[in-house]
Amino acid sequence: MLDDKKIIVALDKPGMQQALSICDQLSPDLCRVKVGHELFTSTGPGVVAELQKRGFEVFLDLKYHDIPNTVANACSMAADLGVWMLNVHASGGLKMMESARKAIGDPGAQAPLLIAVTVLTSMEQSDLPATGVSRTVDEQVLALAALTNEAGLDGVVCSAREAAMLSSEFPSMIKVTPGIRLASDDANDQKRVTTPEQAVSNGASYLVIGRSITGAVDPLKTLQTIASGLTS
Ligand code: C5P
């Protein structure tokens, strides 16, 4: 599934002003924005309203992972903010994801898109055993995507490296892929990285891009360059 606004800019900033000053350099016609732990913890839900006022659709990336009742209530509160997309951790299990789905309602006109994180893109094969996972990254991503599908969620967060595999197994699921880096960028803490073009050709539905855009000298120009590379 691909719409013409494939880029989600991660606003990983420590406060409202820093986040809005990046947004004021972007265009809601070219991207959506993502509010994660850092920004949400510092500003609270007010930032979502400010971004919506500026015309941006918001992905609330709080990766809920708790008992089903708590996650269901948190998802319901998030949906009340009018966000476009929100997420949970698939490793929270089937019951947790089913409760989240039930809390925000079936996919459709009013409910936000609900997706689940498989394996964080900052993790690589050698990180898994210490977390109790003996599978390969691909096997773990596939298993958690199957669980997500069974729970009736709309899609997953995965690395673009796994998007092709998931596209053939679960063609109708949304694949949201962080870990995107321009060929000239530093990977920083990300491990399973891919360029924007490669991610789309692997079947990614939406690309989460943070530092490559927010740290650029000219964020709008970088966004425009990436967006035009994806449609040409
Ligand atoms: O700056 P960068 O492009 O690495 O930002 C990636 C963003 O995507 C961060 O906000 C991070 O929290 C988020 N993310 C991720 N891996 C996941 C899920 C979300 O990197 N599996």
Side-chain angles (χ1 to χ4, degrees):
M1 184 193 293
L2 204 61
D3 66 26
D4 52 2
K5 268 199 299 189
K6 304 179 203 60
I7 299 172
I8 303 171
V9 178
L11 299 174
D12 294 325
K13 295 288 165 194
M16 180 84 83
Q17 285 322 315
Q18 293 94 326
L20 296 181
S21 90
I22 290 285
C23 276
D24 289 340
Q25 299 173 64
L26 302 174
S27 160
D29 296 334
L30 287 180
C31 67
R32 297 178 169 94
V33 292
K34 181 172 87 65
V35 174
H37 288 292
E38 180 183 356
L39 183 57
F40 195 81
T41 303
S42 98
T43 63
V47 74
V48 173
E50 284 300 325
L51 294 166
Q52 289 166 333
K53 240 191 260 169
R54 288 162 168 77
F56 288 97
E57 290 176 294
V58 176
F59 169 20
L60 189 63
D61 178 27
L62 296 181
K63 302 185 181 70
Y64 297 122
H65 187 174
D66 208 316
I67 60 171
N69 182 60
T70 300
V71 168
N73 291 338
C75 286
S76 175
M77 297 294 124
D80 287 348
L81 300 177
V83 298
W84 164 72
M85 178 184 273
L86 63 108
N87 63 357
V88 299
H89 263 290
S91 54
L94 185 63
K95 289 200 188 92
M96 188 202 81
M97 289 194 280
E98 285 174 340
S99 302
R101 170 86 281 167
K102 206 165 152 214
I104 68 164
D106 285 332
Q110 299 306 318
L113 294 168
L114 176 61
I115 63 171
V117 178
T118 56
V119 176
L120 293 170
T121 48
S122 54
M123 297 184 86
E124 55 191 336
Q125 189 62 51
S126 58
D127 296 315
L128 295 190
T131 68
V133 174
S134 55
R135 295 176 177 137
T136 64
V137 169
D138 278 7
E139 287 167 348
Q140 181 69 351
V141 168
L142 202 52
L144 290 174
L147 202 63
T148 303
N149 192 46
E150 191 183 337
L153 270 56
D154 302 300
V156 288
V157 184
C158 61
S159 141
R161 296 187 186 184
E162 293 105 38
M165 167 183 82
L166 293 183
S167 295
S168 67
E169 290 287 328
F170 306 106
S172 61
M173 278 184 115
I174 292 171
K175 268 80 60 185
V176 175
T177 65
I180 302 294
R181 289 290 177 272
L182 309 185
S184 55
D185 281 346
D186 191 329
N188 307 112
D189 53 346
Q190 297 282 19
K191 298 290 183 215
R192 296 178 356 260
V193 298
T194 314
T195 63
E197 296 78 9
Q198 188 62 51
V200 169
S201 91
N202 285 1
S205 320
Y206 299 104
L207 317 183
V208 172
I209 309 180
R211 288 162 283 187
S212 295
I213 291 176
T214 59
V217 176
D218 186 340
L220 180 61
K221 195 162 165 230
T222 307
L223 171 63
Q224 284 167 330
T225 306
I226 298 172
S228 67
L230 298 180
T231 50
S232 57

